[in-house]
Amino acid sequence: MSSVVSSSSRVSDAITECLSQLVHSDTMEVQEKALQALASITKVSPQNRTLVAQTEKAIATLATLTNSTSPTIQTLSLLILFNLSLNPDLKHALSDMETIHYLNSLITSSSCSLDSSKLASSLICSLAMHDKNKAKFGVAGTVQLLVGAIEGSRGSHAHHLLSSLAELVHFHGNCTLAVRAGAVPALLRVVQSTESEDLAGTSLAVLGLLARFDEGLSGLKRREHEIVRAMLSVLKGRSLLSKEGAADILIRLFDDSEECVAEALMLPEFSSVLADLCVRGSVRVRDKADLLMTKMAKLSLDSDIEACSLHGF
């Protein structure tokens, strides 16, 4: 027991010393070394993360350093905050509005390094996993900033942004903000333009999350012509995960709008693509494809019965 206490005491002393160097040193080299030490201390130990968070002004100091003109100091500060956010009980303490505005500025800053921007997005995603933080990010304008940033992003950076948006739109209010900010067309463009299955799959997942709420579903229905064709393209040539995402979106649309079903019936290959998935897809994709075919068949039959009735047959 005494050795454990001694070890904890040594770590606490090291943390205090590092934070003192961050606050009182004007030398970037000293600050960088202190941050590297804190990054190492908080990398794997939940207990050490708690010790850092409990040290007076530690979080405020680290948050301030994310605005440093030094890319290295900025990145290391974000890395330590991200490490701290891995402790569920620290997510709330890390999410004061000043820190959130710092993160927002890093998402939109043209001078911010790619590493810092990725870390800022990852930190937003991590903090947003605490449900009570989701509304805070909505109030701070983070949702709109993420939607705007997705437009011009590529590769792993885009994935970080999309993952953060996905976490935030689990909250109804943030879904509304995302739709109003143009998330539906932005996400569709990612699905249609990217060769990355990862980005396409994550974009489809966000669209599926938006479709759970009336505002998101309405946003999709306003582009039903484009949506149905885009989802057909995914069903034809994307990964099984992307196909499952596309099928989920179509099921929500078909449940809510006969016009969307009719749109699909007008595409000759739609039924054949679904029939193929019913045979060759994964179990989940087969079940979803079968449900879509059933909905299309029902509307087609109802239309035939109505036509016969009109003609007196």
Side-chain angles (χ1 to χ4, degrees):
M1 176 65 75
S2 61
S3 62
V4 173
V5 173
S6 176
S7 175
S8 177
S9 177
R10 286 198 301 272
V11 171
S12 184
D13 290 343
I15 292 169
T16 301
E17 176 62 24
C18 287
L19 286 167
S20 177
Q21 290 172 352
L22 292 178
V23 173
H24 300 297
S25 176
D26 295 327
T27 307
M28 285 189 176
E29 184 179 357
V30 172
Q31 290 183 324
E32 287 177 13
K33 287 182 178 179
L35 289 168
Q36 287 168 351
L38 287 173
S40 178
I41 287 170
T42 58
K43 184 176 181 180
V44 295
S45 170
Q47 293 81 10
N48 289 352
R49 295 169 195 150
T50 299
L51 284 173
V52 171
Q54 289 175 343
T55 303
E56 187 178 3
K57 296 185 179 179
I59 292 175
T61 299
L62 292 166
T64 301
L65 288 173
T66 62
N67 268 359
S68 172
T69 55
S70 164
T72 302
I73 288 176
Q74 186 181 75
T75 301
L76 285 169
S77 301
L78 285 165
L79 177 58
I80 296 163
L81 288 172
F82 176 75
N83 288 346
L84 298 183
S85 77
L86 297 177
N87 281 23
D89 59 326
L90 296 180
K91 292 183 188 294
H92 180 70
L94 289 164
S95 301
D96 64 276
M97 291 304 289
E98 188 173 8
T99 300
I100 289 174
H101 285 302
Y102 279 149
L103 297 176
N104 284 354
S105 68
L106 293 174
I107 291 174
T108 57
S109 173
S110 58
S111 61
C112 177
S113 72
L114 187 58
D115 284 342
S116 289
S117 186
K118 287 180 182 179
L119 277 168
S121 299
S122 296
L123 182 51
I124 289 170
C125 185
S126 178
L127 296 177
M129 291 177 183
H130 182 62
D131 285 343
K132 291 184 178 180
N133 287 341
K134 287 179 170 61
K136 281 187 176 182
F137 282 106
V139 171
T142 308
V143 174
Q144 296 92 322
L145 292 175
L146 287 170
V147 172
I150 286 167
E151 291 275 16
S153 62
R154 295 290 183 273
S156 60
H157 184 209
H159 177 71
H160 284 77
L161 295 168
L162 287 165
S163 297
S164 299
L165 184 61
E167 192 60 47
L168 286 172
V169 298
H170 279 89
F171 177 59
H172 188 174
N174 288 342
C175 172
T176 301
L177 293 173
V179 172
R180 291 176 180 173
V184 171
L187 293 166
L188 270 178
R189 281 192 285 273
V190 175
V191 172
Q192 294 170 311
S193 65
T194 184
E195 295 181 359
S196 167
E197 289 298 338
D198 190 32
L199 291 184
T202 307
S203 297
L204 287 163
V206 180
L207 284 169
L209 289 168
L210 294 178
R212 296 178 310 149
F213 301 111
D214 289 343
E215 296 87 346
L217 196 57
S218 296
L220 288 166
K221 285 162 56 181
R222 284 195 292 271
R223 309 177 73 90
E224 65 183 34
H225 181 79
E226 181 184 0
I227 284 278
V228 171
R229 282 161 174 74
M231 295 307 103
L232 172 61
S233 178
V234 172
L235 293 175
K236 285 168 60 179
R238 289 289 190 180
S239 68
L240 284 175
L241 183 61
S242 291
K243 288 175 181 177
E244 185 177 342
D248 282 333
I249 292 167
L250 287 168
I251 288 170
R252 290 190 182 276
L253 287 170
F254 283 14
D255 281 342
D256 193 74
S257 169
E258 286 191 355
E259 288 77 10
C260 288
V261 184
E263 188 76 35
L265 285 168
M266 292 171 61
L267 300 173
E269 58 183 333
F270 209 107
S271 294
S272 61
V273 169
L274 289 178
D276 184 62
L277 289 175
C278 285
V279 175
R280 298 198 297 175
S282 65
V283 173
R284 291 168 65 91
V285 171
R286 289 201 302 268
D287 289 344
K288 295 175 192 296
D290 183 63
L291 181 58
L292 289 168
M293 287 193 70
T294 300
K295 292 179 183 296
M296 291 173 66
K298 182 179 184 304
L299 182 63
S300 180
L301 178 61
D302 290 346
S303 297
D304 289 343
I305 292 173
E306 184 178 350
C308 290
S309 176
L310 289 172
H311 289 86
F313 295 122

